[in-house]
Amino acid sequence: MSVRIVALVGSLRAGSHNRQLAEAAVKLAPEGVDVAIVEGLADVPFYNEDIDVEGSVPAAAIALREACAPADALILFSPEYNGTTPAVLKNAIDWLSRPYGGGTLTGKPVAVVGTAYGQFGGVWAQDEARKALGVAGAKVLEDAKLSIPGSVVRFAETHPADDAEVAAQLVAVLGQIAAAAA
């Protein structure tokens, strides 16, 4: 039986290094682990409880929930915007946390990793995402971490999948997630 990990990418930019890191996770996933990137986060409206009622839930929010529900675990790839989590990623967490206590995230193993231009690799954003995930009921994997600094320089000419150090660290994180989901 394969472990299904769903990846959410917090950057909408076409050339996003976090998107490339997620692509590396898909490519480098160990045997028995399947990683799938969720598309369409830009189309999910900001969470609003008034529209989160049967018959009114936006199609993009339904698609997000349906993509994540069958997953054994999630991995979030977060850049850092002004010292915190990008709105698109926080919004996805909000939609997946509802209904409170019974949302898609409840009890599900989740890791947060990423890369950013700064010298700490997006640690603040990743910590904020972990906090929100924990409040939302996810089983946050506090030890499954990967923060890659200097993304603009490090990945200027090298895809993260082709960076031996990053690849090894990413495979290790995927192994931790798979073990938690088993």
Side-chain angles (χ1 to χ4, degrees):
M1 183 172 131
S2 181
V3 173
R4 296 168 304 195
I5 301 173
V6 168
L8 302 179
V9 180
S11 174
L12 303 177
R13 191 172 60 84
S16 162
H17 296 120
N18 280 283
R19 173 66 185 218
Q20 291 176 2
L21 193 59
E23 292 167 354
V26 171
K27 179 179 178 180
L28 301 170
E31 187 174 334
V33 175
D34 178 48
V35 178
I37 301 171
V38 172
E39 304 293 347
L41 291 185
D43 300 326
V44 180
F46 283 116
Y47 185 79
N48 177 344
E49 196 170 1
D50 290 340
I51 61 173
D52 191 11
V53 294
E54 191 171 334
S56 296
V57 179
I62 292 170
L64 172 64
R65 287 174 171 166
E66 289 176 348
C68 295
D72 298 308
L74 278 76
I75 183 170
L76 279 58
F77 293 85
S78 183
E80 189 168 276
Y81 294 170
N82 298 314
T84 193
T85 307
V88 69
L89 203 53
K90 175 61 170 68
N91 189 48
I93 293 168
D94 291 344
W95 277 103
L96 294 173
S97 72
R98 303 297 197 278
Y100 184 75
T104 304
L105 293 172
T106 303
K108 200 165 282 196
V110 182
V112 183
V113 300
T115 185
Y117 178 66
Q119 65 181 340
F120 301 113
V123 172
W124 289 348
Q126 293 168 31
D127 286 345
E128 290 294 320
R130 285 184 195 96
K131 175 184 167 188
L133 287 160
V135 172
K139 178 182 173 186
V140 179
L141 304 178
E142 295 289 347
D143 294 333
K145 294 182 178 182
L146 175 57
S147 302
I148 306 162
S151 61
V152 173
V153 174
R154 184 163 192 162
F155 302 125
E157 296 180 19
T158 303
H159 191 282
D162 300 323
D163 182 312
E165 179 185 16
V166 169
Q169 292 172 332
L170 186 56
V171 168
V173 168
L174 292 171
Q176 289 175 281
I177 299 168

